[in-house]
Each structure stands twice: as structure tokens, then as C-alpha cells.
Short mmCIF file of all heavy atoms in Angstrom, two decimals:
data_model
loop_
_atom_site.label_atom_id
_atom_site.label_comp_id
_atom_site.label_asym_id
_atom_site.label_seq_id
_atom_site.Cartn_x
_atom_site.Cartn_y
_atom_site.Cartn_z
N ALA A 979 -24.69 42.27 -13.48
CA ALA A 979 -24.27 41.52 -14.60
C ALA A 979 -25.51 40.95 -15.35
O ALA A 979 -25.56 41.02 -16.59
CB ALA A 979 -23.30 40.35 -14.29
N ALA A 980 -26.52 40.48 -14.61
CA ALA A 980 -27.67 40.00 -15.26
C ALA A 980 -28.38 41.08 -16.01
O ALA A 980 -28.94 40.92 -17.10
CB ALA A 980 -28.65 39.36 -14.24
N ALA A 981 -28.48 42.22 -15.42
CA ALA A 981 -29.09 43.44 -16.12
C ALA A 981 -28.39 43.82 -17.43
O ALA A 981 -29.03 44.10 -18.41
CB ALA A 981 -29.19 44.57 -15.12
N ALA A 982 -26.97 43.70 -17.37
CA ALA A 982 -26.22 43.94 -18.60
C ALA A 982 -26.41 42.92 -19.66
O ALA A 982 -26.53 43.31 -20.85
CB ALA A 982 -24.74 44.06 -18.16
N VAL A 983 -26.63 41.68 -19.28
CA VAL A 983 -26.85 40.65 -20.20
C VAL A 983 -28.25 40.85 -20.89
O VAL A 983 -28.42 40.76 -22.09
CB VAL A 983 -26.79 39.23 -19.56
CG1 VAL A 983 -27.30 38.14 -20.58
CG2 VAL A 983 -25.33 38.91 -19.15
N VAL A 984 -29.24 41.13 -20.08
CA VAL A 984 -30.60 41.39 -20.64
C VAL A 984 -30.53 42.63 -21.54
O VAL A 984 -31.19 42.60 -22.63
CB VAL A 984 -31.61 41.60 -19.51
CG1 VAL A 984 -32.94 42.14 -20.04
CG2 VAL A 984 -31.71 40.28 -18.73
N LEU A 985 -29.80 43.66 -21.22
CA LEU A 985 -29.68 44.78 -22.03
C LEU A 985 -29.04 44.45 -23.42
O LEU A 985 -29.51 44.89 -24.48
CB LEU A 985 -28.85 45.98 -21.38
CG LEU A 985 -28.56 47.21 -22.20
CD1 LEU A 985 -29.79 47.91 -22.61
CD2 LEU A 985 -27.57 48.07 -21.49
N MET A 986 -27.99 43.67 -23.35
CA MET A 986 -27.28 43.27 -24.59
C MET A 986 -28.18 42.48 -25.52
O MET A 986 -28.24 42.63 -26.68
CB MET A 986 -26.04 42.52 -24.30
CG MET A 986 -24.83 43.31 -23.80
SD MET A 986 -24.31 44.35 -25.15
CE MET A 986 -23.64 43.14 -26.31
N VAL A 987 -28.91 41.47 -24.90
CA VAL A 987 -29.85 40.69 -25.73
C VAL A 987 -30.97 41.62 -26.31
O VAL A 987 -31.20 41.39 -27.53
CB VAL A 987 -30.44 39.56 -24.81
CG1 VAL A 987 -31.47 38.80 -25.57
CG2 VAL A 987 -29.45 38.52 -24.34
N SER A 988 -31.45 42.53 -25.54
CA SER A 988 -32.53 43.33 -26.03
C SER A 988 -32.09 44.24 -27.18
O SER A 988 -32.67 44.40 -28.29
CB SER A 988 -33.02 44.17 -24.94
OG SER A 988 -33.55 43.45 -23.86
N VAL A 989 -30.80 44.73 -27.05
CA VAL A 989 -30.23 45.57 -28.11
C VAL A 989 -29.98 44.72 -29.31
O VAL A 989 -30.28 45.19 -30.49
CB VAL A 989 -28.88 46.19 -27.64
CG1 VAL A 989 -28.11 46.84 -28.82
CG2 VAL A 989 -29.25 47.33 -26.54
N GLY A 990 -29.47 43.46 -29.16
CA GLY A 990 -29.22 42.66 -30.28
C GLY A 990 -30.49 42.20 -31.05
O GLY A 990 -30.50 42.34 -32.33
N VAL A 991 -31.60 42.03 -30.36
CA VAL A 991 -32.87 41.73 -31.02
C VAL A 991 -33.37 42.91 -31.75
O VAL A 991 -33.78 42.86 -33.00
CB VAL A 991 -33.92 41.25 -29.90
CG1 VAL A 991 -35.22 41.18 -30.61
CG2 VAL A 991 -33.47 39.95 -29.39
N LEU A 992 -33.31 44.10 -31.16
CA LEU A 992 -33.89 45.24 -31.84
C LEU A 992 -33.03 45.67 -33.03
O LEU A 992 -33.59 45.97 -34.16
CB LEU A 992 -33.83 46.47 -30.82
CG LEU A 992 -34.53 47.72 -31.27
CD1 LEU A 992 -36.02 47.50 -31.65
CD2 LEU A 992 -34.46 48.76 -30.25
N LEU A 993 -31.70 45.59 -33.00
CA LEU A 993 -30.89 45.84 -34.09
C LEU A 993 -31.05 44.82 -35.15
O LEU A 993 -30.88 45.15 -36.44
CB LEU A 993 -29.42 46.02 -33.68
CG LEU A 993 -29.07 47.23 -32.80
CD1 LEU A 993 -27.64 47.42 -32.59
CD2 LEU A 993 -29.67 48.48 -33.46
N SER A 994 -31.21 43.55 -34.83
CA SER A 994 -31.45 42.59 -35.88
C SER A 994 -32.67 42.85 -36.61
O SER A 994 -32.74 42.75 -37.89
CB SER A 994 -31.52 41.18 -35.18
OG SER A 994 -30.33 40.81 -34.52
N ILE A 995 -33.74 43.33 -35.98
CA ILE A 995 -34.95 43.71 -36.68
C ILE A 995 -34.75 44.92 -37.68
O ILE A 995 -35.21 44.90 -38.79
CB ILE A 995 -36.12 44.09 -35.60
CG1 ILE A 995 -36.35 42.84 -34.86
CG2 ILE A 995 -37.27 44.69 -36.39
CD1 ILE A 995 -37.42 43.13 -33.71
N VAL A 996 -33.99 45.87 -37.16
CA VAL A 996 -33.63 47.03 -38.01
C VAL A 996 -32.85 46.62 -39.29
O VAL A 996 -33.21 47.04 -40.33
CB VAL A 996 -32.82 48.09 -37.19
CG1 VAL A 996 -32.38 49.22 -38.10
CG2 VAL A 996 -33.69 48.65 -36.08
N LEU A 997 -31.77 45.83 -39.02
CA LEU A 997 -31.09 45.34 -40.23
C LEU A 997 -31.83 44.46 -41.19
O LEU A 997 -31.68 44.43 -42.35
CB LEU A 997 -29.86 44.61 -39.71
CG LEU A 997 -28.83 45.48 -38.99
CD1 LEU A 997 -27.70 44.56 -38.36
CD2 LEU A 997 -28.18 46.49 -39.88
N ALA A 998 -32.85 43.68 -40.57
CA ALA A 998 -33.69 42.81 -41.43
C ALA A 998 -34.63 43.66 -42.25
O ALA A 998 -35.00 43.30 -43.36
CB ALA A 998 -34.44 41.81 -40.55
N LEU A 999 -35.05 44.82 -41.68
CA LEU A 999 -35.98 45.64 -42.47
C LEU A 999 -35.21 46.42 -43.53
O LEU A 999 -35.93 47.02 -44.37
CB LEU A 999 -36.72 46.58 -41.46
CG LEU A 999 -37.68 45.90 -40.51
CD1 LEU A 999 -38.23 46.91 -39.49
CD2 LEU A 999 -38.84 45.23 -41.22
N CYS A 1000 -33.94 46.48 -43.42
CA CYS A 1000 -33.17 47.26 -44.40
C CYS A 1000 -32.12 46.42 -45.08
O CYS A 1000 -30.89 46.50 -44.90
CB CYS A 1000 -32.54 48.46 -43.80
SG CYS A 1000 -33.55 49.64 -43.01
N PRO A 1001 -32.52 45.40 -45.87
CA PRO A 1001 -31.68 44.46 -46.54
C PRO A 1001 -30.88 45.16 -47.59
O PRO A 1001 -31.27 46.16 -48.18
CB PRO A 1001 -32.60 43.39 -47.08
CG PRO A 1001 -33.93 44.07 -47.40
CD PRO A 1001 -34.05 45.09 -46.24
N SER A 1002 -29.74 44.58 -47.94
CA SER A 1002 -28.93 45.10 -49.08
C SER A 1002 -29.52 44.52 -50.32
O SER A 1002 -29.74 43.35 -50.50
CB SER A 1002 -27.52 44.67 -48.81
OG SER A 1002 -26.72 45.03 -49.94
N ARG A 1003 -29.73 45.35 -51.26
CA ARG A 1003 -30.22 44.93 -52.66
C ARG A 1003 -29.54 45.69 -53.69
O ARG A 1003 -29.52 46.94 -53.72
CB ARG A 1003 -31.74 45.22 -52.73
CG ARG A 1003 -32.35 44.73 -54.01
CD ARG A 1003 -33.84 44.95 -54.04
NE ARG A 1003 -34.50 44.11 -53.02
CZ ARG A 1003 -35.86 44.14 -52.74
NH1 ARG A 1003 -36.55 45.09 -53.38
NH2 ARG A 1003 -36.32 43.42 -51.70
N GLY A 1004 -29.09 45.01 -54.68
CA GLY A 1004 -28.37 45.57 -55.81
C GLY A 1004 -26.90 45.94 -55.45
O GLY A 1004 -26.46 46.00 -54.34
N VAL A 1005 -26.18 46.15 -56.49
CA VAL A 1005 -24.70 46.44 -56.36
C VAL A 1005 -24.51 47.84 -57.00
O VAL A 1005 -24.88 48.05 -58.18
CB VAL A 1005 -23.91 45.36 -57.14
CG1 VAL A 1005 -22.40 45.83 -57.08
CG2 VAL A 1005 -24.09 44.01 -56.56
N MET A 1006 -23.93 48.69 -56.22
CA MET A 1006 -23.62 50.03 -56.74
C MET A 1006 -22.25 50.08 -57.14
O MET A 1006 -21.28 49.76 -56.58
CB MET A 1006 -23.80 51.04 -55.56
CG MET A 1006 -25.14 51.18 -55.10
SD MET A 1006 -25.42 52.46 -53.84
CE MET A 1006 -24.62 51.74 -52.45
N LEU A 1007 -22.06 50.53 -58.38
CA LEU A 1007 -20.78 50.77 -59.06
C LEU A 1007 -20.56 52.23 -59.16
O LEU A 1007 -21.30 52.96 -59.90
CB LEU A 1007 -20.70 50.09 -60.43
CG LEU A 1007 -21.13 48.62 -60.54
CD1 LEU A 1007 -21.15 48.15 -61.95
CD2 LEU A 1007 -20.04 47.82 -59.72
N SER A 1008 -19.59 52.78 -58.43
CA SER A 1008 -19.23 54.12 -58.54
C SER A 1008 -18.63 54.48 -59.84
O SER A 1008 -17.87 53.70 -60.50
CB SER A 1008 -18.22 54.52 -57.41
OG SER A 1008 -17.07 53.76 -57.51
N VAL A 1009 -18.96 55.60 -60.37
CA VAL A 1009 -18.59 56.03 -61.69
C VAL A 1009 -17.43 57.04 -61.55
O VAL A 1009 -17.67 58.04 -60.89
CB VAL A 1009 -19.80 56.63 -62.54
CG1 VAL A 1009 -19.26 57.14 -63.85
CG2 VAL A 1009 -20.85 55.63 -62.67
N GLU A 1010 -16.25 56.79 -62.24
CA GLU A 1010 -15.23 57.75 -62.14
C GLU A 1010 -15.46 58.92 -63.00
O GLU A 1010 -16.19 58.88 -64.05
CB GLU A 1010 -13.90 57.01 -62.59
CG GLU A 1010 -13.55 55.82 -61.73
CD GLU A 1010 -13.11 56.15 -60.33
OE1 GLU A 1010 -12.73 57.43 -60.30
OE2 GLU A 1010 -13.26 55.35 -59.52
N GLY A 1011 -14.81 59.94 -62.62
CA GLY A 1011 -14.92 61.17 -63.47
C GLY A 1011 -16.00 62.08 -62.90
O GLY A 1011 -16.34 62.10 -61.67
N ASP A 1012 -16.55 63.01 -63.80
CA ASP A 1012 -17.46 63.94 -63.38
C ASP A 1012 -18.78 63.29 -63.09
O ASP A 1012 -19.47 62.89 -64.02
CB ASP A 1012 -17.63 65.09 -64.47
CG ASP A 1012 -18.65 66.21 -63.97
OD1 ASP A 1012 -18.77 66.18 -62.73
OD2 ASP A 1012 -18.97 66.96 -64.82
N ASN A 1013 -19.25 63.18 -61.78
CA ASN A 1013 -20.52 62.69 -61.58
C ASN A 1013 -21.53 63.70 -61.27
O ASN A 1013 -21.98 63.92 -60.21
CB ASN A 1013 -20.36 61.74 -60.31
CG ASN A 1013 -21.57 60.76 -60.13
OD1 ASN A 1013 -22.33 60.61 -61.09
ND2 ASN A 1013 -21.66 60.21 -58.98
N SER A 1014 -21.85 64.51 -62.28
CA SER A 1014 -22.59 65.76 -62.14
C SER A 1014 -24.01 65.44 -61.72
O SER A 1014 -24.89 65.10 -62.42
CB SER A 1014 -22.70 66.49 -63.50
OG SER A 1014 -23.28 67.72 -63.36
N GLN A 1015 -24.16 65.66 -60.35
CA GLN A 1015 -25.58 65.48 -59.86
C GLN A 1015 -26.44 66.66 -60.01
O GLN A 1015 -27.65 66.64 -59.64
CB GLN A 1015 -25.39 65.18 -58.32
CG GLN A 1015 -25.02 63.75 -57.96
CD GLN A 1015 -23.63 63.37 -58.33
OE1 GLN A 1015 -23.02 64.01 -59.04
NE2 GLN A 1015 -23.14 62.37 -57.64
N ALA A 1016 -25.88 67.76 -60.55
CA ALA A 1016 -26.64 68.99 -60.65
C ALA A 1016 -27.91 68.87 -61.46
O ALA A 1016 -28.77 69.64 -61.35
CB ALA A 1016 -25.73 70.09 -61.06
N GLN A 1017 -27.86 67.85 -62.43
CA GLN A 1017 -28.91 67.75 -63.37
C GLN A 1017 -30.25 67.28 -62.74
O GLN A 1017 -31.33 67.41 -63.24
CB GLN A 1017 -28.55 66.80 -64.45
CG GLN A 1017 -27.34 67.21 -65.22
CD GLN A 1017 -26.89 66.18 -66.24
OE1 GLN A 1017 -27.55 65.25 -66.42
NE2 GLN A 1017 -25.76 66.48 -66.87
N THR A 1018 -30.13 66.71 -61.53
CA THR A 1018 -31.40 66.19 -60.96
C THR A 1018 -32.06 67.18 -59.98
O THR A 1018 -33.16 67.63 -60.22
CB THR A 1018 -31.06 64.92 -60.08
OG1 THR A 1018 -29.95 65.16 -59.24
CG2 THR A 1018 -30.67 63.71 -61.01
N ILE A 1019 -31.31 67.59 -58.96
CA ILE A 1019 -31.96 68.42 -57.98
C ILE A 1019 -31.27 69.84 -58.01
O ILE A 1019 -31.91 70.79 -57.72
CB ILE A 1019 -31.90 67.81 -56.58
CG1 ILE A 1019 -32.81 66.67 -56.54
CG2 ILE A 1019 -32.26 68.79 -55.53
CD1 ILE A 1019 -32.91 65.98 -55.18
N ALA A 1020 -29.91 69.73 -58.24
CA ALA A 1020 -29.24 71.05 -58.16
C ALA A 1020 -29.81 72.01 -59.18
O ALA A 1020 -29.64 73.26 -58.96
CB ALA A 1020 -27.71 70.77 -58.40
N SER A 1021 -30.34 71.55 -60.35
CA SER A 1021 -30.91 72.51 -61.26
C SER A 1021 -32.21 73.20 -60.72
O SER A 1021 -32.59 74.25 -61.25
CB SER A 1021 -31.26 71.79 -62.56
OG SER A 1021 -32.14 70.81 -62.34
#
């Protein structure tokens, strides 16, 4: 049980760092209709 607790704490710390390094920024608004991505890379 002690080993499991240490594992959980370690995982929590590591994932907290990952999430902190990847913060959410900006609001994405999906556009209805034809979202033709071909113009950027598909061409």
C-alpha cells in the first residue's frame, strides 16, 4: 500500500508538470459548413 501511495503521488506530480507546461490559451470556435483545409497543406 505504501508503494502504491508513492506511485500515485509521483504520477500526480509528473502529470501536474505536463499540464502546467501545456496551459489552455485562447478560445476555439468551430466554424460550421465547409471547413476546407485543403488550401493550407492539402494543396
Side-chain angles (χ1 to χ4, degrees):
V983 171
V984 172
L985 175 62
M986 282 293 295
V987 172
S988 303
V989 169
V991 170
L992 187 57
L993 292 185
S994 296
I995 295 174
V996 171
L997 293 172
L999 292 175
C1000 299
S1002 177
R1003 180 177 298 174
V1005 178
M1006 290 185 291
L1007 300 175
S1008 57
V1009 179
E1010 298 293 337
D1012 184 16
N1013 197 15
S1014 182
Q1015 279 74 338
Q1017 298 174 5
T1018 51
I1019 290 183
S1021 59

